[in-house]
Amino acid sequence: MPKEEDLEPEKAESKTEPPAPTPMDDWSLVRTKDGKAGWVLTRMLIMAIPDDVAQYAEGHRITSFFPLGDVQDGDVTKKNWLWTTITKGLEPYEFDSFRVFIWSRKHHRYETAYIERRVVGHFPVLVNTAGASPSFSVIVEGNDDRFYRKTYSFEGYRIRMINRELYEVKREADAKSRAVATAPAQPAPKNQSWFSKVKDKVKGLVDRMR
């Protein structure tokens, strides 16, 4: 048997704690009525959509909303609405669902006329309320990793897609860069989304305005 002095104490395995994740937040570029612009924490923003619509958010964050015309219900005037929402923050896109609410004269409440979930959507959302039938369009990523602008018409209580076209990101981004003077662009990470690149350029412009 080995002598007591020959026995070495067990060496405790060194356990290194993983580094704590860096706290991160979503920021939104806002412009006030008097023309001032700046960045604010997105979680501090409250959308001014009516409560009788906002109650259907189900914990998701509303990222944009647009009126789609008025509905007269007796002495009360209500609006139809389009909104975009996202399940969680810190994503490289702006929404993962969009939904159209209509005011029901029969039930005197808001009801869903159309909804799409599990999309990868990017701004800008465009709405056209001119004419008899409003329309709107959203930019979503297809299964082929390309961008598409999908346009929908809103006729009474019916929503239908009337156009789907390839969204030429470079052309529209170039048009925006010509419209405003921006700071020299910094090399973007390889996996950075197009909207993130545009947002970085706008941030440079706002910094120069201060």
Side-chain angles (χ1 to χ4, degrees), residues 180-194:
V180 295
T182 61
Q186 299 295 325
K190 186 176 181 181
N191 61 348
Q192 188 180 23
S193 71
W194 165 79

Side-chain angles (χ1 to χ4, degrees), residues 87-107:
T87 305
K88 59 182 181 179
L90 302 177
E91 298 289 356
Y93 47 87
E94 284 63 60
F95 59 93
D96 55 25
S97 176
F98 62 95
R99 188 173 180 178
V100 175
F101 293 92
I102 58 172
W103 179 260
S104 170
R105 294 190 184 96
K106 180 179 179 180
H107 300 114

Side-chain angles (χ1 to χ4, degrees), residues 13 61 103 137 209:
E13 295 183 5
R61 180 163 61 82
W103 179 260
S137 65
M209 294 170 58

